[in-house]
Amino acid sequence: MWRGLWRAAVAALALFATVPTVGAAQAVNIRTERDAKATAARYKAMSANQRRAAFDEWAVANNITYATAAASGQAFKNWNANADAMVAHNQRSGNKFFLGVGPYADMTNAQFVDIVLMKWPERDLRDAPPEREFRPHGRTVPPPELDWRTLVTLPPVRNQKNCGSCWAFAGIGAMEIAAVVNDVYLTPDQSEQQALDCVTGANGYWSSGCSGGYSDDVLNYASTPRFFVPEYVSPYLANSTGRTCSPALYSYPSYGSMSMPASPTPRWTKVASDASSLMAAVATGPVIVYLYASSMGAYAGGIFQASGCNTTAINHAVVVVGYNATAGVGSPESYWVIRNSWGASWGEGGYLRLQMLNNTVGACGMYDAGAMFLPAVPIVPANQPPAPPDRKSTRLNSSHVSESR
């Protein structure tokens, strides 16, 4: 009991300690209308020179460089337009969610959709192999609110960068969180690059690297005797071009490797397309969902409303790690806690609160993509070696991969 309470207390402190603040150049983690209006007023009052200085500071903070002066000038033009849009939105009263100047502020929305979101390989998620379906039993009543961030110490939010690899981050992220929740491995840090290299059409999967893919491919690939090596063995490159599934790297488990059990098959349970089933599933662990994210690039906080997106153009994979239904399912105040893979400088420390709808479609189509996956409990390969004395993670921070635009 005391161990559980101690872990919960540490997790809660870590949650609030790692959330970024609203800086001079970046407007992120905006949780209240008061803060949103103050941010809007600050940007509105900036002179042209101050805006340019803020843009330069923003680029440094996001580890972004530009190949030419012309590229930098165009990026600043986009950034300035997005800052104006943030001002126009945030200065209004009654908003449920707020916009910011986050990691994609130098892109037009069309560029953001093309570069960051998925271009689906041709496969209908509803045609996935036969699977078990998670539905709550009559006696199963999930709590009205739950947030795994306050119950365990989740791995830090990752950053997929300029690559449509959210499917890999969602699949591996769900594995990592399930390992923590179930006390399998408390400090997981698996290699998303391995998913880009190995979970490919050449190896019999539907996924296609930075063009997009499927998180159930990730879970099925990782079943024993296969495994995902840790990040320090195969660091993330935000690139899938010309890569191969290297036997030298991926044939033998390193310390920190993680796998999915050989059974049940498949290595996940599909969650029924409704809020009550998803709540009950999330009460047991992380759930992978797909949704429409084309209008989320500038999100900086608050409860993103269903009216802010459509429900048909599904192009992003994320992980649900909590919810709050104390105001009632379907209320504008009820929401899902969603872990994204756009770094901790996006949204609320890398997380999104998304309105909880009481239907079979869900906000941004999150119930209706045909795939809400509750992963099986991961395992640690029995033949992995002991920890090397000089093991160091290459994941220095969420933006260790420099970007040139």
Side-chain angles (χ1 to χ4, degrees):
M1 173 183 175
W2 291 110
R3 180 170 178 259
L5 291 173
W6 170 251
R7 286 181 60 194
V10 171
L13 288 172
L15 169 62
F16 293 104
T18 59
V19 170
T21 58
V22 178
Q26 295 200 110
V28 295
N29 192 34
I30 303 173
R31 295 172 179 260
T32 69
E33 184 173 298
R34 178 180 177 180
D35 287 343
K37 288 186 173 182
T39 303
R42 178 160 53 86
Y43 272 76
K44 188 175 182 179
M46 286 183 184
S47 67
N49 288 340
Q50 287 173 326
R51 280 279 184 104
R52 179 67 206 203
F55 167 74
D56 291 339
E57 181 184 334
W58 170 91
V60 170
N62 285 279
N63 201 21
I64 294 172
T65 59
Y66 299 96
T68 65
S72 177
Q74 183 59 54
F76 173 59
K77 181 179 179 181
N78 297 339
W79 186 93
N80 215 26
N82 287 325
D84 288 341
M86 177 273 291
V87 169
H89 177 89
N90 287 1
Q91 66 186 1
R92 296 197 297 264
S93 297
N95 287 329
K96 294 294 184 182
F97 70 93
F98 314 107
L99 302 183
V101 181
Y104 303 111
D106 64 342
M107 297 181 183
T108 65
N109 192 67
Q111 288 173 327
F112 166 73
V113 171
D114 181 62
I115 295 171
V116 180
L117 301 182
M118 293 195 293
K119 303 137 188 94
W120 286 94
E122 293 186 5
R123 169 196 173 200
D124 191 329
L125 288 167
R126 296 172 182 82
D127 293 335
E131 68 278 325
R132 302 171 308 284
E133 185 171 69
F134 182 98
R135 288 183 180 274
H137 301 294
R139 297 187 302 274
T140 303
V141 180
E145 61 178 314
L146 181 143
D147 190 337
W148 282 109
R149 297 175 299 175
T150 66
L151 299 173
V152 297
T153 302
L154 298 187
V157 171
R158 314 304 192 196
N159 195 335
Q160 69 186 71
K161 291 297 192 176
N162 289 354
C163 171
S165 54
C166 58
W167 59 276
F169 280 83
I172 289 178
M175 281 182 60
E176 292 177 340
I177 295 168
V180 173
V181 167
N182 290 282
D183 280 338
V184 172
Y185 190 26
L186 300 184
T187 58
D189 187 8
Q190 311 315 120
S191 169
E192 295 87 5
Q193 190 62 46
Q194 183 180 354
L196 297 189
D197 293 349
C198 300
V199 186
T200 63
N203 292 326
Y205 299 94
W206 286 92
S207 298
S208 187
C210 288
S211 294
Y214 299 88
S215 298
D216 59 315
D217 276 354
V218 173
L219 301 180
N220 287 332
Y221 165 85
S223 62
T224 302
R226 288 190 299 265
F227 48 83
F228 277 106
V229 300
E231 164 76 6
Y232 73 89
V233 173
S234 182
Y236 184 62
L237 302 174
N239 178 39
S240 58
T241 303
R243 299 281 301 176
T244 59
C245 191
S246 170
L249 285 177
Y250 305 137
S251 295
Y252 305 98
S254 304
Y255 176 80
S257 295
M258 195 159 60
S259 184
M260 298 299 288
S263 63
T265 302
R267 283 84 190 175
W268 38 264
T269 303
K270 183 181 282 189
V271 181
S273 298
D274 61 80
S276 60
S277 295
L278 182 54
M279 287 171 64
V282 173
T284 71
V287 177
I288 300 163
V289 303
Y290 297 85
L291 44 71
Y292 172 86
S294 298
S295 54
M296 295 180 179
Y299 168 81
I303 302 173
F304 195 90
Q305 298 294 294
S307 58
C309 57
N310 73 38
T311 60
T312 57
I314 304 302
N315 54 13
H316 194 49
V318 292
V319 183
V320 183
V321 298
Y323 60 84
N324 188 320
T326 54
V329 177
S331 165
E333 305 299 329
S334 294
Y335 57 85
W336 302 105
V337 178
I338 291 179
R339 176 187 172 94
N340 206 349
S341 54
W342 295 343
S345 64
W346 176 88
E348 294 183 343
Y351 289 83
L352 161 75
R353 285 184 288 161
L354 181 60
Q355 185 183 4
M356 178 188 290
L357 294 186
N358 189 19
N359 58 25
T360 58
V361 177
C364 308
M366 65 178 290
Y367 307 159
D368 194 44
M372 295 195 293
F373 297 130
L374 175 68
V377 178
I379 60 175
V380 174
N383 59 336
Q384 73 167 309
D390 58 346
R391 180 176 67 93
K392 293 182 180 180
S393 175
T394 58
R395 201 189 297 270
L396 302 178
N397 53 59
S398 63
S399 60
H400 75 279
V401 179
S402 179
E403 293 180 65
S404 179
R405 295 180 181 169

